């Protein structure tokens, strides 16, 4: 039984990886399974929120009561998020968004003729920063996936992307973070921080959402 701390609230969140095409059969992506984002969507629905989940390609069932929008590329994810942002009062960016995409996607399958090849990449738009600079903006929460200096890089992202809160995870250990069933978070906001020690992703999601509910009420 989860207390309905988010009843009357609406949450928009991203989950999973984005996928950037190289040609019709190949792509660039990352190891995000979507488990953390889907746990947040389930926990938020259980806590009474109206939830819209924008998901990259993952193999997970949609949690009961959650409105799901499936996307592939970062551009698709940005468009889906910006189409929904005005209808929600909380945003969480849990997706592992590809920072770069291929400059020219080949229309036909690239043949392996040369011994070496170069791909030219261009920077993708930042979905989280776009939400944070939207007016009116939802209570905006980012994730930070780091392998070193977790707190320092996360604080930098909190300020640089103008977020209300950031949930940082150390993704250097295979037992936590990407594709694992457990995770641990350091949650940081302007005037405070809290460590959420390692546990299963659904428990952690409920703990993070409880912190978010408290911060919104204090904002
Ligand atoms: O999916 P799982 O296997 O369960 O793994 C969970 C997770 C490790 C992917 C998750 O907990 C996590 O850390 N998600 C964020 C991963 C990430 O891309 O972090 P980042 O530090 O590179 O990005 C910082 C923030 O900016 C994130 O909120 C990200 O969604 C956002 N971002 C990044 C780049 C971009 N172009 N647009 C964005 O919105």
């Amino acid at each position: 039984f989860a207390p309905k701390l988010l009843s009357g609230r609406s949450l928009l969140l991203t989950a999973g990886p984005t996928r950037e095409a190289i040609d019709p059969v190949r792509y660039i992506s990352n190891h995000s399974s979507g488990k953390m984002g889907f746990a947040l969507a389930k926990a938020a629905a259980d806590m009474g929120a109206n939830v819209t989940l924008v998901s990259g390609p993952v193999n997970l069932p949609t949690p009961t009561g959650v409105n799901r929008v499936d996307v592939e590329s970062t551009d698709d994810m940005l468009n889906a998020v910006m189409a929904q942002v005005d209808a929600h009062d909380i945003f969480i960016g849990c997706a592992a968004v590809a920072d770069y995409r291929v400059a020219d996607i080949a229309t036909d399958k690239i043949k392996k003729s040369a011994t070496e090849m170069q791909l030219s990449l261009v920077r993708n738009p930042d979905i989280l920063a776009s939400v944070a600079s939207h007016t009116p903006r939802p209570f905006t929460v980012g994730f930070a996936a780091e392998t070193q200096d977790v707190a320092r890089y996360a604080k930098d992202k909190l300020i640089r992307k103008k977020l209300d809160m950031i949930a940082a995870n150390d993704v250097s250990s295979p037992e936590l973070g990407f594709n694992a069933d457990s995770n641990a978070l350091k949650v940081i906001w302007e005037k405070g921080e809290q460590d959420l020690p390692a546990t299963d992703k659904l428990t952690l999601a409920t703990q993070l959402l409880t912190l978010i509910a408290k911060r919104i009420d204090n904002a």
Side-chain angles (χ1 to χ4, degrees), residues 14-17 30-37 58 74 77 91-100 123-129 141-146 157 161 163 166-169 171 176-180 183 185 201:
T14 62
N30 60 66
H31 295 294
S32 172
S33 63
K35 286 177 191 171
M36 188 71 237
V58 298
T74 302
M77 187 173 272
F91 175 79
I92 306 179
C94 188
V97 181
D99 291 312
Y100 292 86
R123 188 79 180 259
N124 265 331
D126 192 305
I127 299 167
L128 184 59
V141 182
F143 266 71
E146 308 292 350
K157 278 178 187 160
K161 297 196 186 194
L163 309 177
I166 194 151
N169 37 197
V171 292
L176 300 175
F178 279 100
N179 204 14
N183 202 7
L185 294 173
K201 286 182 174 171

